[in-house]
Amino acid sequence: GDQVEQSPSALSLHEGTDSALRCNFTTTMRSVQWFRQNSRGSLISLFYLASGTKENGRLKSAFDSKERRYSTLHIRDAQLEDSGTYFCAAEGAGYQNFYFGKGTSLTVIP
Amino acid sequence: GALVYQYPRRTICKSGTSMRMECQAVGFQATSVAWYRQSPQKTFELIALSTVNSAIKYEQNFTQEKFPISHPNLSFSSMTVLNAYLEDRGLYLCGARSGNTGQLYFGEGSKLTVL
């Protein structure tokens, strides 16, 4: 079964609003990485976390340091250019494989 | 900065023929390379994980006979899709992992269309 459950699958936000994406893991993960995929298919890395939180501008990500079973990506003051598909990828404790969630399609509306 | 170049960007091939794609890491040492396929529905499947000087580990439903991978050094990896059929279509992505930071860096992908 899927090791990474990402939600929501789709999200519409008005400009200027805030929201959060979440990835739950069926087992303890070693690290997590968040990406945005652009229209050309390129995966742009947003954050890589082995624990704790990271912030970059209007984006902030957290990785549950205690049980390592979920991660979140917060978007503050959403802008039109934030539209795209967001993926989380989590690294299992065993073979260093990164497993992807199914993505969140984000649309920011004027 | 760390970059991954992947080529070709897209290939159209006839059923039963093969496609080779290559991945070049620039600005960092790729101690491992993971090859993925993203379906037209956007779902990612891990094909295999290749670590330099270790055996390549293929995921269930993917085999070396169908997807042979070469990873000869810390900056280059290639994968071939042999005998491609309709179910093999998708966007193939290589994710090169930095031995220094642990972060995955992706190329722009190789889109395979099978006629």
Side-chain angles (χ1 to χ4, degrees):
Chain A
D2 292 345
Q3 298 194 39
V4 179
E5 298 168 353
Q6 186 171 346
S7 62
S9 57
L11 180 62
S12 290
L13 292 178
H14 285 284
E15 263 186 304
T17 60
D18 306 343
S19 191
L21 315 181
R22 185 179 174 106
C23 280
N24 290 328
F25 314 129
T26 56
T27 186
T28 298
M29 295 296 183
R30 183 182 294 184
S31 66
V32 65
Q33 196 163 347
W34 285 90
F35 299 90
R36 181 171 60 231
Q37 190 170 35
N38 64 20
S39 56
R40 290 169 53 185
S42 298
L43 280 170
I44 300 161
S45 179
L46 301 174
F47 297 103
Y48 169 73
L49 299 102
S51 66
T53 64
K54 286 188 179 178
E55 192 165 356
N56 184 5
R58 296 178 293 100
L59 299 180
K60 181 177 179 179
S61 183
F63 180 31
D64 163 41
S65 301
K66 199 170 179 183
E67 299 196 357
R68 315 181 78 78
R69 298 286 292 263
Y70 72 88
S71 176
T72 55
L73 176 69
H74 295 263
I75 302 171
R76 176 175 55 81
D77 185 23
Q79 301 297 304
L80 296 178
E81 60 264 28
D82 295 331
S83 295
T85 305
Y86 291 75
F87 291 93
C88 68
E91 178 191 10
Y95 293 100
Q96 301 186 27
N97 292 340
F98 275 85
Y99 293 99
F100 277 79
K102 292 187 176 178
T104 297
S105 177
L106 173 66
T107 305
V108 180
I109 309 163
Chain B
L3 290 172
V4 173
Y5 293 105
Q6 187 175 346
Y7 36 87
R9 289 294 313 280
R10 54 185 60 83
T11 298
I12 300 172
C13 67
K14 291 183 178 179
S15 284
T17 62
S18 300
M19 171 200 178
R20 174 185 160 97
M21 58 201 85
E22 299 181 346
C23 199
Q24 184 85 36
V26 177
F28 69 103
Q29 292 187 328
T31 52
S32 64
V33 173
W35 286 92
Y36 293 86
R37 178 172 68 199
Q38 187 179 30
S39 68
Q41 295 73 34
K42 304 298 182 187
T43 303
F44 281 87
E45 294 176 281
L46 176 62
I47 298 171
L49 178 69
S50 170
T51 305
V52 174
N53 298 326
S54 293
I56 298 169
K57 185 178 182 298
Y58 285 83
E59 291 292 287
Q60 196 172 12
N61 301 326
F62 296 97
T63 64
Q64 183 180 6
E65 290 70 31
K66 172 75 174 178
F67 299 95
I69 290 169
S70 172
H71 188 187
N73 56 54
L74 291 172
S75 63
F76 181 82
S77 179
S78 67
M79 184 178 77
T80 302
V81 181
L82 290 173
N83 215 10
Y85 287 98
L86 192 61
E87 60 265 27
D88 296 319
R89 65 189 172 132
L91 180 67
Y92 288 81
L93 290 141
C94 70
R97 187 166 196 189
S98 167
N100 186 34
T101 66
Q103 188 169 349
L104 272 181
Y105 296 95
F106 280 89
E108 291 188 308
S110 299
K111 185 176 180 180
L112 174 61
T113 301
V114 182
L115 301 178

